[in-house]
Amino acid sequence: MISIICPLYNSENHLDKLIDSLLEQKGVSETIEIIFIDDGSNDQTLLTLIPKTKLLEKKYSTVKILKQKHKGPGAARNYGIKESTYDYIAFLDSDDRWYETKLQVCIDIIKENKDMYNCYIHDEKYIRKNGESSIIENGITKNESISRSLYLNNCLSTSAVIVKKSLIKKFQYFDENLQSSQDYDLWLKMAPDLKIYKIKDILGEYIESSYSITSKYYIYRFLDQLFIAIRYRHYVSNLQFLKKIIRIILSKQWFFGLIKKNSHNY
C-alpha cells in the first residue's frame, strides 16, 4: 500500500532515531515497504544501516537499500520512487521523527477516502536547536485555488505528506537541477491536480539541525526560491508575484549563506 522513501547522506549519526521511528509504528495493517537510498555517503552510513535493517525486515514486507553517486536529495528520492512497488509514497528524512501511530492513522484515513484525495498531510511538532518547540499546522490552504495558496504559503512538509505515486510520475518527479527546495517545487508542479486531506493530528516531529552535512548555503536557497517564484508566477496576480519576490529579497536568511552553513538534513 505505502512505500516509504528514506534518502540518506552521511547520516550515520541519525540512523538510530530513524530506525526507531519505523520500528515503533503500531498496528500497521497493510503492506509497507521501506526504501533507503544512500546518496554517495563517505562516512559509515551503509555499514551502520545494513545490520539494523534485519529488525525492519521482521516488521515490514520489504526493505531495500539502494546506492547512487552523490546527486542530492531530489535525485535520491526520485530513485527510490522509481524503484518503489506501492501506490502511495511517504517520505521520512533521516533527522525527522514519526510518532508511533503515524502509519496506522494515515492508512485508516486513506482507505476511507482513497477515491476523493491524492495527498494526505498531518501536523508536526517543530523542535528548534535551543530545545523550544511549536506546532506546525500543515495542509491549511487559504485560497480556493490550491495552486495560488501553495504559491503564497507552502503548507506541505516532506516527512508529513503521503501522496499518490501516479501523481508524482505525472508531474515528472523532483527537479534534480535545483540545489534546494526541490520538495516545494514538486508541490507547486502537482498543485493543479492536488486534492489534499488535512489530518488534524500531530504525528511527527520536524527537527531543526545545527549540524547538517547536506546543508546548502542560504545563497543557493535564495536563488532557488527566486527561480521557483518566477517558474510558477502564473498561479498568482502580478501584485502577488511582486510581493513574493520582495519578501524573498528582503529575507535575511540568504545573507547568512555568505558566512556559514545551517540547514535541515535529509
Side-chain angles (χ1 to χ4, degrees), residues 63-169:
V63 179
K64 299 177 183 178
I65 299 177
L66 309 177
K67 296 183 291 184
Q68 67 175 24
K69 293 181 179 179
H70 182 49
K71 299 179 182 179
R77 293 187 184 113
N78 284 345
Y79 185 17
I81 294 166
K82 291 173 183 178
E83 295 295 321
S84 66
T85 303
Y86 298 120
D87 293 335
Y88 291 90
I89 300 294
F91 303 98
L92 181 56
D93 287 351
S94 62
D95 57 352
D96 288 337
R97 181 187 170 201
W98 285 351
Y99 293 162
E100 60 186 15
T101 57
K102 148 87 178 202
L103 281 179
Q104 194 53 54
V105 168
C106 292
I107 287 169
D108 289 343
I109 289 173
I110 291 171
K111 288 169 70 175
E112 293 172 3
N113 299 277
K114 62 182 179 180
D115 295 327
M116 299 173 60
Y117 301 93
N118 53 26
C119 180
Y120 301 81
I121 182 80
H122 60 76
D123 293 339
E124 296 173 294
K125 182 182 286 188
Y126 179 32
I127 309 295
R128 292 178 174 80
K129 289 179 291 184
N130 61 10
E132 295 180 356
S133 64
S134 59
I135 302 304
I136 303 174
E137 294 184 348
N138 291 314
I140 298 176
T141 54
K142 298 181 179 180
N143 293 273
E144 290 185 6
S145 166
I146 290 179
S147 300
R148 184 179 301 113
S149 184
L150 279 174
Y151 185 93
L152 298 175
N153 178 46
N154 181 18
C155 65
L156 300 180
S157 174
T158 309
S159 288
V161 73
I162 297 180
V163 64
K164 288 280 298 248
K165 181 168 68 174
S166 58
L167 191 63
I168 298 174
K169 291 174 64 177

Side-chain angles (χ1 to χ4, degrees), residues 150-208:
L150 279 174
Y151 185 93
L152 298 175
N153 178 46
N154 181 18
C155 65
L156 300 180
S157 174
T158 309
S159 288
V161 73
I162 297 180
V163 64
K164 288 280 298 248
K165 181 168 68 174
S166 58
L167 191 63
I168 298 174
K169 291 174 64 177
K170 177 180 178 180
F171 287 94
Q172 300 298 302
Y173 303 91
F174 292 91
D175 186 342
E176 299 178 13
N177 294 314
L178 292 172
Q179 295 290 317
S180 66
S181 305
Q182 301 100 332
D183 51 352
Y184 183 40
D185 179 76
L186 179 62
W187 311 149
L188 287 170
K189 274 199 294 187
M190 298 191 303
D193 283 14
L194 275 179
K195 298 176 182 178
I196 300 172
Y197 186 104
K198 156 76 174 172
I199 300 171
K200 298 178 181 179
D201 293 319
I202 302 168
L203 298 177
E205 294 178 355
Y206 180 97
I207 302 171
E208 184 180 34

